[in-house]
Amino acid sequence: MNLVVVSNRVSRGKPNEPMTGGLAAALLPIVEKSGAIWVGSSGRVRDGNQKEPFAEVEALGAGALAMLDLPAAHYGGYYEGFANSALWPALHSRADLIRASQDDYLSYREVNAFMARALLRFRKPDSAFWIQDYHFLALGAELRDLGVAQPIGFFLHTPWPSRSVISGVPHHSELIEAMLAYDLIGFQTDEDCENFLSYAQADLGLVVHDGVIISRYGRTRAAVFPIGIDPQQFAQLAAKASTHPDVSRLRRSLNGEKLAIGVDRLDYSKGLINRIKAFDRMWTLHPSLARTASLLQIATPSRGAIEAYGNLQSEVAKLVSDVNGQHGEVDWTPIRYLNKGYGQAVLAGLYRAAQVGVVTPLQDGMNLVAKEYVAAQNPVDPGVLVLSKFAGAANELDTALLVNPHDIDGMARTIALALSMPLTERRMRWEAMMAKLRGQTIQQWFSDFTDALRESRHYSVELAPVMTEPALWPLRSATTGGVRYH
Ligand code: F6P
């Protein structure tokens, strides 16, 4: 099978380049090893109506990376607009933050259609397409409209919310109908998958049986594929990173003080405000932890052109400064706050230098930082993971200290507990988490999904001819002005 993987963001695989987000970090090793073609945005835009979309193609391990310049007229409406101001807040159950204009939606559909046209040049008779994430919900339908009959799968890296929340997205039914062009749709957790199936059944009125949705496209299977990491490779990276200058400078600066670490994109779903409030509360409740335990919070700037992100950046910066002003001493800073990204090679070393990893999102698809923190630990003296029960990772890493990120006092108590946990308990919890990571690696995720995709296409096509009545109708109304009958 010739696999074409598609995502908005790609990574060029330079070990010291900062990596934004879990998706790019996760896909990189599998593209390098499997020989797939990975197609995504170059981060640049281009004017005019390109007949042949411009792509820069380079080798990536055994595979290749193709970076496309997206259309300038639609990029903002697609990325900052519909994808990150309508879909992202809805997918993270923040319906109050949904902002989307009709133009944004049209741009989103245009970019999906543009990507579909660009993908044709990578198509071979035995190709399969694997589309990643919420930027490309309608890409499968666009490919089918262009006559692509090969298997097309989709994996959602974020959560999928309840029916009432997703219904807050303008054009939700049209978009979700379009998703049924996929043969296989993968989710991170059972809850995400159930929410999706229940929308298909109750809101679209479709037949759903045993995780399979029947529509005019044939069958779409929805299933759960929790994404993993390569724990062995990450552990090696962490062991090697101890000599990295940033890591050794950090260790030296600690003077025996304990360290908690948080590494997140600066995003409202990550729960940064509540986390910092929890540390504030902890130093108030346990004054003995002042000077003996501090927080290193790396918050990589993200989507700065969107108002909600700009506001968050100022709010977090102010809170950090208030807390440092309140608890700091002439020779002690409680929170070291950094607004920049780090490469995997340094991050692995920073995780290993920290006795506690704090991963406390309000909602998160999986959260690979949680998994990487665990994999980076020194087996003879591992740190403790404090993990939100609303991160997908909590389903597997259930021997972490699970917290409710809305309960500031509870988090403060749990972080204090983590900082003083005895070695035997730390090892017991860590070993159980490592066993889970070893059982569900990124390689396993890749082969589980691609095997299931092959099988799903087979069943989907087999059923298609027996469908007499189309269940759902042309999905092009918004972009073309065509009529919708549904
Ligand atoms: O899971 C969602 C995701 O695709 C992750 O890769 C990452 O956390 C984020 O979104 C990437 O965001 P952006 O590409 O907008 O920086």
Side-chain angles (χ1 to χ4, degrees):
M1 179 162 80
N2 250 299
L3 189 65
V4 182
V5 177
V6 185
S7 64
N8 177 66
R9 193 176 280 280
V10 295
S11 164
R12 303 178 84 158
K14 309 267 179 289
N16 292 321
E17 253 176 33
M19 190 83 78
T20 308
L23 182 153
L27 291 180
L28 179 63
I30 55 178
V31 171
E32 285 176 330
K33 283 192 193 127
S34 70
I37 299 175
W38 186 7
V39 186
S41 158
S42 62
R44 291 183 302 267
V45 293
R46 207 167 255 254
D47 285 326
N49 262 336
Q50 308 162 47
K51 269 206 193 107
E52 177 71 358
F54 178 80
E56 196 183 334
V57 184
E58 58 187 50
L60 192 61
L65 179 63
M67 290 166 289
L68 294 184
D69 293 357
L70 296 181
H74 295 292
Y75 186 77
Y78 149 77
Y79 179 77
E80 271 103 17
F82 200 77
N84 285 313
S85 297
L87 290 172
W88 180 271
L91 293 167
H92 292 83
S93 297
R94 289 296 305 269
D96 58 313
L97 294 177
I98 296 175
R99 311 271 181 279
S101 66
Q102 178 68 5
D103 283 350
D104 290 345
Y105 179 63
L106 295 181
S107 290
Y108 178 86
R109 295 299 302 248
E110 284 295 339
V111 171
N112 274 239
F114 175 90
M115 181 57 89
R117 292 194 298 277
L119 290 178
L120 292 183
R121 82 161 85 161
F122 302 107
R123 175 172 61 156
K124 298 206 174 115
D126 65 340
S127 287
F129 295 87
W130 186 6
I131 316 303
Q132 313 286 325
D133 237 357
Y134 62 99
H135 307 86
F136 294 119
L137 297 183
L139 182 48
E142 299 290 352
L143 285 168
R144 294 283 182 237
D145 279 358
L146 293 174
V148 171
Q150 283 97 336
I152 314 178
F154 175 83
F155 185 80
L156 184 70
H157 291 257
T158 70
W160 186 274
S162 65
R163 287 170 47 212
S164 63
V165 173
I166 201 69
S167 304
V169 174
H171 304 283
H172 56 94
S173 53
E174 187 171 276
L175 267 178
I176 300 169
E177 284 166 7
M179 288 175 74
L180 301 174
Y182 292 117
D183 299 303
L184 175 65
I185 301 182
F187 294 94
Q188 301 275 27
T189 69
D190 289 336
E191 191 182 340
D192 301 329
C193 188
E194 280 156 20
N195 284 343
F196 184 81
L197 290 171
S198 114
Y199 179 97
Q201 188 161 33
D203 296 69
L204 298 181
L206 297 174
V207 173
V208 175
H209 181 67
D210 215 9
V212 175
I213 305 165
I214 303 193
S215 76
R216 64 141 170 152
Y217 290 106
R219 297 183 193 198
T220 298
R221 185 175 161 224
V224 179
F225 301 87
I227 195 167
I229 61 167
D230 182 336
Q232 202 188 340
Q233 193 232 340
F234 208 81
Q236 284 164 1
L237 213 55
K240 238 170 65 188
S242 58
T243 55
H244 189 283
D246 279 339
V247 179
S248 28
R249 279 210 312 275
L250 170 69
R251 282 189 189 276
R252 270 200 307 276
S253 73
L254 287 170
N255 275 325
E257 188 187 333
K258 287 190 174 165
L259 183 72
I261 189 167
V263 177
D264 308 80
R265 272 185 318 105
L266 234 172
D267 191 294
Y268 47 80
S269 65
K270 303 293 181 187
L272 290 165
I273 296 286
N274 286 5
R275 184 184 307 166
I276 292 160
K277 287 184 177 166
F279 275 88
D280 178 23
R281 193 86 189 107
M282 179 188 83
W283 286 308
T284 306
L285 291 174
H286 304 276
S288 64
L289 288 174
R291 307 186 66 97
T292 59
S294 62
L295 169 66
L296 169 61
Q297 177 62 56
I298 296 173
T300 317
S302 180
R303 308 173 191 168
I306 301 173
E307 197 188 345
Y309 288 79
N311 294 344
L312 178 73
Q313 184 153 9
S314 324
E315 206 187 334
V316 177
K318 175 163 188 326
L319 187 61
V320 168
S321 135
D322 289 351
V323 173
N324 279 344
Q326 174 76 25
H327 298 283
E329 301 281 348
V330 286
D331 57 348
W332 183 64
T333 305
I335 303 176
R336 302 168 191 213
Y337 180 57
L338 307 179
N339 278 155
K340 56 181 169 182
Y342 285 87
Q344 299 278 89
V346 183
L347 281 178
L350 301 179
Y351 292 141
R352 197 173 172 115
Q355 288 70 28
V356 176
V358 272
V359 180
T360 56
L362 306 178
Q363 284 290 328
D364 217 330
M366 175 56 68
N367 199 305
L368 294 180
V369 168
K371 295 190 170 183
E372 289 170 357
Y373 175 78
V374 172
Q377 295 311 298
N378 178 354
V380 296
D381 188 17
V384 181
L385 176 65
V386 174
L387 177 62
S388 163
K389 61 181 180 175
F390 301 123
N395 290 309
E396 294 153 83
L397 304 182
D398 51 3
T399 56
L401 292 180
L402 296 184
V403 291
N404 171 3
H406 301 285
D407 175 5
I408 312 266
D409 282 343
M411 276 199 289
R413 283 193 301 273
T414 307
I415 298 164
L417 189 76
L419 283 162
S420 62
M421 188 179 283
L423 178 63
T424 346
E425 184 175 352
R426 280 191 275 131
R427 282 178 74 162
M428 230 168 60
R429 288 177 180 272
W430 178 79
E431 272 155 22
M433 289 192 279
M434 277 306 280
K436 296 276 176 73
L437 296 189
R438 289 190 197 103
Q440 183 58 48
T441 62
I442 186 74
Q443 290 80 9
Q444 190 65 47
W445 174 77
F446 175 79
S447 55
D448 286 352
F449 190 95
T450 47
D451 290 352
L453 176 58
R454 231 177 271 125
E455 212 175 285
S456 302
R457 182 63 186 155
H458 178 70
Y459 286 118
S460 181
V461 169
E462 209 175 50
L463 181 87
V466 301
M467 303 270 310
T468 47
E469 203 51 35
L472 294 170
W473 294 137
L475 304 169
R476 309 291 314 246
S477 59
T479 39
T480 62
V483 182
R484 287 182 80 240
Y485 301 104
H486 183 68

